[in-house]
Amino acid sequence: MGRIVKQVSEGTTKYYWYPGEKKEWIRAAVALGIGLAAFGLLMLFTRNVLLAVVMGTSVTALVAGLNFGRRDARALAGMPDLGDKAARRAMAGQAGKAVWRAFAHGLGGAAAAVLILNLPHSGVIADWVLPVVPAVVGALAHQAGMLYEQLTASGSTAGPAATPAKTEPEPALQGAAK
């Protein structure tokens, strides 16, 4: 939950709460902006509404999927041991956030499909293939975001690295080498 703090007077402070974090809202706005830019450029160059909408929604789904995947991977990496009550409560909170992200991602794919289906078009490709392209792109981007976050995660351990132990060659191998 994010909040905005405004000092109204010397003794009065107002708090405005909004869902999510500010940086996540900015990332969502960037995804929408990139999608709108892709739509605008394709409309300008091709004058094909169907192609422009499919590409615009696919680019938006791509950027949003990468963001969702990275957030899900970070949440999975931070999952606590379920031994105590506080850890289970924290995991339930993370699961609730993951459900919300999945709902938003699915709703975005469904909205893109409905938008594409309601455009003037004809043909099997336009009716059956193009509506699912943004959802598929978003799902693949989600997996790529999770994979990227896992690959960039540090595999370090706490404390300095230990010096390797010296190994003495076995006597039987010394005689064979001569």
Side-chain angles (χ1 to χ4, degrees), residues 81-143:
D81 183 29
L82 299 179
D84 63 276
K85 192 173 185 176
R88 287 191 298 271
R89 189 175 301 125
M91 188 183 78
Q94 289 294 332
K97 291 176 185 176
V99 167
W100 175 250
R101 287 190 297 267
F103 176 74
H105 199 75
L107 184 66
V114 169
L115 179 66
I116 293 167
L117 279 173
N118 285 318
L119 292 175
H121 62 276
S122 62
V124 174
I125 299 292
D127 286 337
W128 292 95
V129 176
L130 292 181
V132 298
V133 168
V136 170
V137 167
L140 291 174
H142 182 270
Q143 293 300 315

Side-chain angles (χ1 to χ4, degrees), residues 139-156:
L140 291 174
H142 182 270
Q143 293 300 315
M146 288 185 75
L147 183 63
Y148 174 77
E149 194 67 29
Q150 291 295 319
L151 290 176
T152 59
S154 173
S156 63

Side-chain angles (χ1 to χ4, degrees), residues 13-174:
T13 304
K14 282 195 173 186
Y15 297 96
Y16 300 97
W17 297 91
Y18 59 90
E21 296 295 324
K22 184 177 181 180
K23 69 179 181 176
E24 301 304 335
W25 282 100
I26 292 171
R27 287 180 181 163
V30 166
L32 283 172
I34 291 172
L36 286 172
F39 168 78
L41 286 173
L42 279 170
M43 260 318 274
L44 181 68
F45 291 124
T46 65
R47 302 277 188 229
N48 186 345
V49 176
L50 182 63
L51 178 65
V53 168
V54 169
M55 289 304 294
T57 55
S58 295
V59 169
T60 300
L62 176 84
V63 176
L66 286 171
N67 287 334
F68 283 158
R70 291 180 64 210
R71 286 170 56 191
D72 285 346
R74 276 183 260 143
L76 279 174
M79 283 292 175
D81 183 29
L82 299 179
D84 63 276
K85 192 173 185 176
R88 287 191 298 271
R89 189 175 301 125
M91 188 183 78
Q94 289 294 332
K97 291 176 185 176
V99 167
W100 175 250
R101 287 190 297 267
F103 176 74
H105 199 75
L107 184 66
V114 169
L115 179 66
I116 293 167
L117 279 173
N118 285 318
L119 292 175
H121 62 276
S122 62
V124 174
I125 299 292
D127 286 337
W128 292 95
V129 176
L130 292 181
V132 298
V133 168
V136 170
V137 167
L140 291 174
H142 182 270
Q143 293 300 315
M146 288 185 75
L147 183 63
Y148 174 77
E149 194 67 29
Q150 291 295 319
L151 290 176
T152 59
S154 173
S156 63
T157 58
T163 58
K166 291 186 180 181
T167 57
E168 297 290 327
E170 292 190 24
L173 293 177
Q174 285 181 347

Side-chain angles (χ1 to χ4, degrees), residues 2-9 12-18 22:
R3 75 175 178 180
I4 298 171
V5 180
K6 290 193 176 187
Q7 189 76 27
V8 178
S9 66
T12 307
T13 304
K14 282 195 173 186
Y15 297 96
Y16 300 97
W17 297 91
Y18 59 90
K22 184 177 181 180

